[in-house]
């Protein structure tokens, strides 16, 4: 995750968070310390995001969500337990996404929306939203939600499953990104898809190498989309050419293909 100051935040599964200072080119390691109550709650990081108020929200597997200030100190932990009946659905966090209105969307075994000050949580009871892995917002204020049951749109307090009706099969969505009004969808087993919600057109950029069809995250830079896979390394996709143009894996220097 890159912030407004060109700093890089890297979440790991087992070794906490690494912060790369954009100007000093210096790494800072942020990890759990049982003797320090202000350290993060665990080292298995599932999601990192920055809200409009500048606070960092770190989703930690089995531990809920930590809120950090700009000095890397934990200011509070948000769990299923500490907000009572109105708390988040689960501590098994998959993703944390701040929207343009200051709300925090939380994907776990369901979907929650938390107010920016974490005093109120809305739990959504909707059959499609089990094991929610990705959330993003378009320029119209609609929130797109990726779960093991497909892609769902939430707008004006209503859910819309038009995408799922079009694909006519169960698509396990693990990553989402919006570029020029097109929804780019990383799936678990079905590769990369693009979806135009205006005309309903869906394109599947599935790979012949099956390991590259299991996608964990997608990021855009310039004309390129970078796709992290579970076993196939990182693929580089050109928006303008509408095809894959490079592969980065263990054979050409990547430390791991996962």
């Amino acid at each position: 995750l890159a912030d407004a100051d060109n700093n890089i935040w890297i979440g790991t599964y087992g070794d906490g968070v690494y912060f790369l200072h954009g100007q000093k080119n210096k790494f800072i390691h942020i990890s759990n310390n049982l003797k320090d109550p202000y350290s993060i709650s665990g080292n298995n990081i599932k999601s990192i995001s920055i809200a409009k108020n500048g606070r960092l929200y770190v989703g930690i597997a089995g531990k809920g969500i930590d809120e950090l200030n700009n000095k890397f100190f934990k200011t509070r932990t948000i769990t299923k337990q500490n907000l009572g009946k109105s708390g988040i659905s689960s501590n098994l966090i998959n993703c944390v996404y701040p929207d343009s209105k200051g709300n925090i969307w939380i994907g776990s075994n369901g979907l929650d929306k938390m107010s920016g000050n974490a005093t109120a949580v809305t739990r959504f009871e909707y059959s499609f939203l089990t094991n929610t892995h990705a959330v993003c917002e378009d320029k119209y204020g609609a929130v797109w939600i990726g779960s093991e049951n497909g892609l769902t749109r939430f707008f004006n307090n209503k859910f819309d499953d038009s995408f799922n009706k079009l694909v006519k099969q169960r698509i396990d969505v693990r990553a989402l990104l919006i570029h020029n009004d097109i929804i780019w969808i990383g799936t678990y087993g079905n590769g990369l898809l693009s979806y135009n919600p205006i005309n309903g057109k869906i394109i599947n950029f599935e790979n012949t190498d099956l390991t590259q069809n299991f996608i964990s995250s997608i990021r855009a830079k310039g004309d390129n989309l970078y796709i992290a896979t579970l076993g196939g390394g990182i693929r580089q996709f050109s928006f303008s050419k509408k095809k894959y143009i490079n592969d980065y894996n263990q054979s050409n220097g990547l430390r791991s293909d996962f």
Side-chain angles (χ1 to χ4, degrees):
L1 172 69
D3 63 24
D5 297 318
N6 292 320
N7 303 311
I8 305 295
W9 299 84
I10 303 166
T12 72
Y13 201 84
D15 201 23
V17 176
Y18 285 87
F19 170 79
L20 176 60
H21 198 288
Q23 295 179 341
K24 298 179 180 178
N25 201 29
K26 176 184 178 182
F27 268 112
I28 296 174
H29 186 208
I30 306 163
S31 62
N32 173 252
N33 182 346
L34 294 177
K35 296 180 180 179
D36 182 2
Y38 299 104
S39 71
I40 59 175
S41 301
N43 292 325
N44 294 333
I45 310 303
K46 296 286 287 185
S47 178
I48 302 176
S49 58
I50 301 172
K52 290 183 70 175
N53 60 9
R55 292 294 175 115
L56 189 77
Y57 289 90
V58 181
I60 303 171
K63 302 290 187 180
I65 302 165
D66 281 352
E67 182 186 81
L68 275 62
N69 62 20
N70 58 9
K71 297 187 182 299
F72 315 127
F73 292 136
K74 178 176 67 181
T75 54
R76 61 180 162 179
T77 299
I78 302 157
T79 67
K80 181 178 180 179
Q81 293 78 19
N82 66 9
L83 289 179
K85 292 182 179 179
S86 64
I88 60 177
S89 297
S90 172
N91 294 334
L92 300 172
I93 306 300
N94 292 322
C95 65
V96 181
Y97 181 85
D99 69 16
S100 61
K101 301 177 181 67
N103 301 306
I104 309 296
W105 294 79
I106 303 160
S108 59
N109 57 9
L111 177 71
D112 304 320
K113 182 177 73 171
M114 183 175 66
S115 62
N117 55 12
T119 57
V121 174
T122 301
R123 292 187 186 183
F124 293 98
E125 301 294 335
Y126 190 65
S127 58
F128 271 94
L129 301 179
T130 56
N131 284 329
T132 301
H133 286 275
V135 178
C136 67
E137 182 184 18
D138 65 26
K139 67 182 182 183
Y140 307 103
V143 174
W144 296 84
I145 305 136
S147 73
E148 66 178 2
N149 292 313
L151 178 66
T152 301
R153 180 176 181 262
F154 183 78
F155 188 62
N156 287 337
N157 292 318
K158 293 181 180 179
F159 289 105
D160 178 5
D161 292 308
S162 296
F163 171 86
N164 303 318
K165 295 172 184 175
L166 288 169
V167 293
K168 298 178 181 178
Q169 64 172 310
R170 178 179 172 273
I171 299 289
D172 188 345
V173 177
R174 298 298 179 97
L176 292 172
L177 184 142
I178 300 175
H179 181 268
N180 291 340
D181 292 335
I182 302 297
I183 316 294
W184 292 86
I185 305 163
T187 74
Y188 190 78
N190 292 97
L192 177 71
L193 286 76
S194 68
Y195 172 51
N196 185 330
I198 297 173
N199 60 23
K201 185 177 181 180
I202 299 171
I203 302 174
N204 189 348
F205 301 92
E206 199 166 357
N207 302 287
T208 53
D209 181 349
L210 294 181
T211 60
Q212 295 175 330
N213 288 326
F214 294 84
I215 295 172
S216 58
S217 67
I218 49 180
R219 294 289 185 271
K221 185 176 182 181
D223 183 52
N224 297 308
L225 189 67
Y226 294 89
I227 301 128
T229 71
L230 298 169
I234 297 172
R235 305 214 74 189
Q236 183 180 351
F237 181 92
S238 168
F239 288 119
S240 59
K241 295 178 181 178
K242 293 184 172 57
K243 67 178 184 179
Y244 295 105
I245 57 174
N246 276 316
D247 287 292
Y248 306 94
N249 48 49
Q250 283 184 301
S251 68
N252 55 20
L254 198 64
R255 184 172 181 178
S256 171
D257 288 340
F258 288 83

